[in-house]
Amino acid sequence: MLRVPHRWCVALLLLATCGRGEPEPADLQALRLPSGALLSPDGSWLFVANSNLDLGVQSSTLVVLNLRALDNSFAEAPQPAGAELSVDAPCRVSEGMSEETGMKGQEIVECEERYFIQREHSVRLTSGAGNIALDRPSGDEGPWRLLIPSSLDERAVTWIDVVRGAGGIEVDCGQDAEGECDAAHSLQRLGNDANGARLPSDPARIFVDREGYRFAYLPHLLGARMTLIALDAEYGPTITDITDSSEAFFASEPLGKGTLAGGFAVDQRACNPADPPPTTEGCTRPLLYASHRFWPGVRLFSVETGRDTLVRFGNHWLLGVNPYAAGDRPFMGEIEFLDPEIGDRLLAVHTTPPSLSLVDTSQGPDGEPINDPIDSVALCHNPNLLAVHRPAQAEAMAFVSCYSDDQVAAVALGSFTVVATIPVDDGPNELVVDEARRKLYVVHTLAGTIGVVELDSASPRHLQMIRRIGLGG
């Protein structure tokens, strides 16, 4: 079946809502066009952002799945296929299990999501919600802070605090009785000033610094812009820099077919104080990588920490694959360091042509990373997002979601080969590895479900989707 690229899917979703009249308030106990997900540090909760990309309801939402309650329900015998579900019997065998798995007799157990989402944990935020990044502003014992960029309506970054207590969690974004986050928790302008520059259009994937610098970084899919957010401002996070549109932070596509320019994802290279790259000024400022969206490579950049402004370094082509082999755009997807504590190998998703590259980012004779692709492997169509499984006693594995093929590619990182292509639901997007449970959560944007893939290598269902949160169509 023909599938269009993600950005055109969004346009079609928007067109489909024309003429419907005033939309209803968003359901606070449902999965609807989910886009982002984040596992809580204690493994008890899965935070999920519902995107509302079609503007079919009034807003995006953040909902919270109780994973311990789901564990208990999955441990019980499921109801038969087609059974009515209830709070006492929330799971059943999926009716289409044989077609979905491609293996006769391999059950997928599906659970109604609303029985695992508490209304008081849900909030409403600006439409177009994307990924969820985690900040810990008070250290390990303090609240979790979630940052969620939104691309529609009043584009913004919403910050939400999650406070833990003996009775569970409390979610706080200054929300009113209807769950609407207040304006103080919505970053829309430079310096949080009503007269400040507007947050640029099309925010992509937000990334929170993990080396101790108190910043978050937000590339934009269009307009060649990058936004810097200071996390420790007086009244909460504050936008402190937005790159000028006249000096493109991201390059435009190189094939002479257009002028699109933008970024997609950010990751951070670890800095060794005993041997720091010169651009880090002795590990006093971060060294960051951003993937271009319409140019086959990455840009390196940093922050002037005293001034809270962005500093750009060079662009680097990643020519482990040939971008001229196909005329489709975009070129690049997510990037992630294989070992974040070392930072000598970078994984880079190429949306066009569909592939995953391994990049050597070890330091060369000048002390700077050499950024040379050393291996690549072909993937299913329209890959974008990446997650790495790092088991303690086994080979690391990368998972890449292929939005157009309804598949997730599993790449063994020792041999750098695709060891499985896993059928999943419609529109696989965000991927979350749960190392403690040895599970992979796959957010299906178009299906409105979350798949659960088995990562236990001892299981006969290894690398198969075995469960579903939400009911299949």
Side-chain angles (χ1 to χ4, degrees):
M1 179 174 65
L2 179 64
R3 299 293 301 275
V4 294
H6 185 202
R7 63 190 303 263
W8 299 115
C9 284
V10 173
L12 291 172
L13 285 168
L14 291 171
L15 285 172
T17 67
C18 293
R20 287 185 183 174
E22 183 66 24
E24 296 292 322
D27 189 338
L28 290 174
Q29 289 183 277
L31 297 175
R32 186 179 183 282
L33 294 173
S35 50
L38 176 75
L39 182 67
S40 68
D42 68 355
S44 297
W45 314 91
L46 188 69
F47 302 101
V48 181
N50 287 312
S51 66
N52 192 32
L53 285 173
D54 64 352
L55 297 179
V57 293
Q58 290 180 7
S59 66
S60 286
T61 59
L62 174 78
V63 298
V64 188
L65 287 162
N66 187 329
L67 292 181
R68 290 178 179 169
L70 272 162
D71 289 341
N72 293 335
S73 293
F74 281 130
E76 300 288 334
Q79 299 299 303
E84 292 293 323
L85 299 179
S86 67
V87 66
D88 296 318
C91 304
R92 68 188 183 193
V93 175
S94 173
E95 290 190 69
M97 63 181 183
S98 296
E99 294 180 7
E100 291 160 342
T101 62
M103 301 179 68
K104 186 176 181 180
Q106 299 294 321
E107 287 185 354
I108 291 178
V109 175
E110 60 183 16
C111 297
E112 173 66 64
E113 74 267 27
R114 67 179 54 252
Y115 299 123
F116 304 95
I117 299 171
Q118 292 179 250
R119 163 66 178 79
E120 59 266 30
H121 293 161
S122 302
V123 295
R124 296 185 169 108
L125 59 148
T126 302
S127 289
N131 74 309
I132 308 172
L134 174 70
D135 182 31
R136 306 184 80 160
S138 302
D140 292 346
E141 301 305 316
W144 305 321
R145 179 165 289 169
L146 314 180
L147 293 101
I148 306 173
S150 292
S151 57
L152 302 177
D153 292 345
E154 293 295 318
R155 57 188 182 270
V157 176
T158 304
W159 58 279
I160 302 165
D161 282 342
V162 181
V163 181
R164 294 166 287 165
I169 60 172
E170 292 184 7
V171 177
D172 177 23
C173 61
Q175 66 268 33
D176 61 18
E178 302 303 316
E180 296 280 353
C181 293
D182 67 13
H185 287 76
S186 179
L187 310 182
Q188 298 186 9
R189 293 185 179 275
L190 186 65
N192 293 350
D193 185 333
N195 298 315
R198 189 76 172 81
L199 184 73
S201 62
D202 297 290
R205 294 180 63 77
I206 194 168
F207 175 83
V208 169
D209 194 290
R210 61 165 174 259
E211 292 285 306
Y213 306 96
R214 299 295 295 140
F215 298 106
Y217 314 95
L218 180 60
H220 296 266
L221 289 169
L222 297 174
R225 313 287 289 278
M226 173 71 82
T227 294
L228 177 68
I229 299 170
L231 299 174
D232 284 343
E234 185 175 2
Y235 298 108
T238 299
I239 297 171
T240 61
D241 193 18
I242 301 171
T243 57
D244 194 291
S245 59
S246 64
E247 298 181 19
F249 192 94
F250 293 104
S252 58
E253 57 90 21
L255 303 183
K257 295 186 177 181
T259 58
L260 295 176
F264 190 79
V266 173
D267 204 1
Q268 184 169 18
R269 191 186 190 281
C271 188
N272 179 4
D275 187 23
T279 47
T280 68
E281 296 187 353
C283 293
T284 63
R285 64 184 189 182
L287 179 56
L288 299 138
Y289 284 64
S291 58
H292 295 268
R293 190 56 167 159
F294 303 102
W295 189 84
V298 294
R299 174 181 280 286
L300 273 62
F301 70 103
S302 188
V303 177
E304 282 194 42
T305 53
R307 299 175 56 198
D308 290 4
T309 56
L310 292 158
V311 180
R312 69 194 76 193
F313 302 137
N315 288 316
H316 294 266
W317 286 70
L318 299 183
L319 294 181
V321 294
N322 178 13
Y324 297 93
D328 294 334
R329 295 186 300 263
F331 285 112
M332 300 295 299
E334 192 164 15
I335 54 177
E336 184 171 343
F337 279 97
L338 179 56
D339 187 340
E341 295 184 1
I342 299 175
D344 62 349
R345 295 290 187 271
L346 179 72
L347 297 166
V349 176
H350 300 263
T351 304
T352 305
S355 54
L356 179 70
S357 284
L358 181 64
V359 183
D360 182 0
T361 57
S362 59
Q363 291 169 228
D366 62 355
E368 297 292 357
I370 59 177
N371 301 319
D372 284 343
I374 55 177
D375 208 346
S376 65
V377 62
L379 301 175
C380 36
H381 292 95
N382 199 13
N384 287 287
L385 300 183
L386 168 70
V388 180
H389 173 38
R390 302 177 177 92
Q393 304 296 328
E395 182 180 16
M397 189 171 294
F399 296 99
V400 184
S401 57
C402 296
Y403 191 88
S404 291
D405 283 352
D406 299 338
Q407 295 176 336
V408 172
V411 180
L413 295 177
S415 59
F416 215 72
T417 56
V418 175
V419 294
T421 302
I422 306 163
V424 294
D425 289 349
D426 200 10
N429 205 343
E430 190 80 67
L431 303 169
V432 177
V433 173
D434 187 337
E435 296 286 6
R437 292 179 176 83
R438 288 177 286 186
K439 300 292 186 284
L440 172 72
Y441 304 115
V442 183
V443 174
H444 306 118
T445 297
L446 297 181
T449 62
I450 297 175
V452 182
V453 173
E454 180 62 74
L455 299 185
D456 185 352
S457 59
S459 169
R461 303 289 304 280
H462 183 226
L463 300 183
Q464 292 182 23
M465 192 172 100
I466 58 171
R467 302 170 185 166
R468 175 189 291 119
I469 304 165
L471 303 183

